[in-house]
Amino acid sequence: GVFTKSPSTISCCLPCTTMSSNIEDFPVFDLAQYLNDGMPSDVCKQMAHELHEKGLLIVKDPRVDHTENDKFINMMEKYFEQPDDKKMKDARPDIFYQLGATPANTERAKSHCEKFTKYEQEDKPATECPPGADPKWRWFHRIGARPASSKFMQLNADAVVPEGFPEWTNVMDRWGGLIMGTVYTVAEMAALGMGLEKEAFASQLQFGPHLLAPTASDLSRWGSAGTVFASYHYDLNFLTIHGRSRFPGLFVWTRSGKKVLVKVPLGCLLLQAGKQFEWMTGGEVLAGFHEVVVVPETLKQIEAAKANNESLWRISSTLFSHIASDNTLQVLDKFKTEENAKKYPPTLAGDYVRAELEAIGLAKKDGEK
């Protein structure tokens, strides 16, 4: 494999701020060096190694102004504090909720019960078996250029803009555009670290149906310890990137099945591999499983927010980057074996996404009412 040896941690991996003890073994990659001189280096190899072992990266990107994340979260809190019936006007079930609002209790994760029964007790998720519907709302806003034509127009429709938010499009496009830039850079660095052409992943992301996809969880209603907002699941896209949320509670699982509570340091971004990344690497990088749960750290933050009269909606600052819908998902030659070519057969990215949306209850199968 490409990842036999872990390179020693490199000087570019500077913590943004001190990190909590349970995620100290996640180095922070500062992208500045790569952006300045573009030379492939040990940093790219280390990044590839982290993706292989953990499916997760923490990065610092000098181009990303985190006050834009604050503006974005402030606006999202204001939107989700509106009455439900007002928000329902922004739901688009006819396009599988792939733009606008998705109401609470709509998304239901696939069942992965067999997978986590094998985990040690301390690594088991809080998710029930089989999982119930998630009590979180979501918003989808399209980021980046759309294809001129596509077989999958529902996945490539125009944005929904709610009433009463004149700044909406600017705030969404600005924050989404900044972190999408980070995704492209990480995609290049990971490719170089795996011994591929720099553009091996990045070129496939051009015209992808990328979505700024914040989740919104009402902690005034669902703020008791152990409540699961997002059941144990993997993401169906290429790479997911998160800015910092105001309330902790995101758990991730490494390749070896270890469960870790993630705290994104100030000024940093978190990336996690999705299923399209797994597909293209034939499983050298696995889609990272994760769930979002109310933990003691969340409860502490709820008390602090109440004391300061701040919003109790937990907004995730999330973007899903996607391979373009009309491109074929297939194992890249470098990773191809007889076995993984069967497991990950060539499939149009749009067909794959549609099948996954049906599986989690967002899209109806053809002929279903």
Side-chain angles (χ1 to χ4, degrees):
V2 187
F3 309 96
T4 42
K5 177 177 172 292
S6 166
S8 55
T9 306
I10 36 282
S11 58
C12 89
C13 296
L14 305 166
C16 307
T17 56
T18 52
M19 304 191 73
S20 67
S21 57
N22 53 1
I23 199 166
E24 266 169 7
D25 54 345
F26 289 83
V28 174
F29 292 91
D30 189 331
L31 307 186
Q33 185 191 346
Y34 175 81
L35 290 166
N36 292 338
D37 60 25
M39 292 300 291
S41 64
D42 285 356
V43 182
C44 299
K45 288 203 176 93
Q46 168 84 352
M47 197 179 258
H49 178 78
E50 287 291 308
L51 281 167
H52 174 69
E53 289 293 318
K54 299 166 190 158
L56 177 128
L57 296 171
I58 295 177
V59 305
K60 187 173 170 56
D61 186 338
R63 300 167 299 183
V64 174
D65 174 0
H66 288 267
T67 62
E68 295 291 341
N69 187 34
D70 292 327
K71 275 186 214 161
F72 163 73
I73 291 180
N74 290 345
M75 186 176 79
M76 284 295 154
E77 287 173 348
K78 202 169 125 191
Y79 173 79
F80 281 105
E81 278 160 6
Q82 298 180 116
D84 285 2
D85 57 351
K86 187 145 192 234
K87 293 181 291 213
M88 286 306 292
K89 289 182 188 153
D90 300 320
R92 300 287 184 271
D94 53 312
I95 54 166
F96 323 136
Y97 299 102
Q98 286 307 283
L99 290 167
T102 306
N105 302 310
T106 305
E107 289 184 31
R108 182 185 298 267
K110 278 178 162 178
S111 177
H112 299 286
C113 300
E114 285 125 64
K115 186 173 177 73
F116 60 72
T117 48
K118 300 188 183 89
Y119 287 161
E120 298 294 328
Q121 197 51 46
E122 71 265 21
D123 294 320
K124 282 191 167 49
T127 297
E128 294 174 340
C129 247
D134 290 342
K136 66 176 190 298
W137 282 74
R138 186 184 298 278
W139 185 276
F140 277 140
H141 177 85
R142 185 58 202 271
I143 295 293
R146 286 161 191 61
S149 66
S150 172
K151 186 183 155 193
F152 304 96
M153 287 325 279
Q154 286 135 320
L155 302 179
N156 292 284
D158 288 330
V160 175
V161 179
E163 271 173 35
F165 289 85
E167 75 280 29
W168 189 270
T169 304
N170 279 345
V171 171
M172 301 296 265
D173 287 353
R174 174 97 185 110
W175 178 241
L178 282 172
I179 57 178
M180 192 62 217
T182 307
V183 169
Y184 272 111
T185 300
V186 167
E188 287 180 3
M189 292 177 74
L192 289 168
M194 292 172 192
L196 300 163
E197 290 293 313
K198 183 169 101 165
E199 293 294 319
F201 301 125
S203 61
Q204 300 288 321
L205 293 168
Q206 292 303 145
F207 300 111
H210 315 304
L211 293 166
L212 187 56
T215 60
S217 310
D218 184 356
L219 297 174
S220 67
R221 281 184 63 193
W222 307 98
S224 53
T227 302
V228 177
F229 283 114
S231 303
Y232 178 83
H233 69 287
Y234 60 78
D235 291 342
L236 62 88
N237 51 299
F238 178 69
L239 269 174
T240 300
I241 186 166
H242 302 275
R244 197 179 151 91
S245 166
R246 290 175 179 169
F247 296 89
L250 173 68
F251 285 95
V252 299
W253 277 260
T254 63
R255 191 180 191 95
S256 61
K258 283 268 147 265
K259 176 182 177 179
V260 185
L261 176 64
V262 175
K263 295 181 182 167
V264 181
L266 279 168
C268 287
L269 297 157
L270 170 81
L271 293 101
Q272 199 168 26
K275 204 68 176 181
Q276 295 172 2
F277 206 140
E278 179 177 322
W279 206 291
M280 292 177 81
T281 61
E284 280 286 333
V285 173
L286 295 177
F289 276 90
H290 49 284
E291 72 176 357
V292 182
V293 187
V294 176
V295 290
E297 290 88 338
T298 326
L299 296 173
K300 241 186 262 170
Q301 196 50 47
I302 290 172
E303 288 316 307
K306 279 181 183 165
N308 295 327
N309 210 12
E310 290 165 358
S311 177
L312 292 180
W313 278 84
R314 179 192 188 274
I315 307 293
S316 73
S317 182
T318 303
L319 180 141
F320 296 138
S321 70
H322 276 264
I323 301 300
S325 310
D326 298 86
N327 289 1
T328 300
L329 272 180
Q330 53 193 334
V331 183
L332 297 172
D333 288 347
K334 183 173 182 80
F335 302 110
K336 201 173 280 176
T337 64
E338 215 174 309
E339 196 184 337
N340 70 21
K342 280 195 199 106
K343 193 175 174 187
Y344 305 103
T347 306
L348 280 181
D351 285 332
Y352 165 68
V353 169
R354 172 80 196 243
E356 287 279 5
L357 296 178
E358 287 171 3
I360 60 175
L362 293 185
K364 299 268 189 285
K365 293 184 175 67
D366 286 337
E368 265 183 11
K369 284 283 182 288

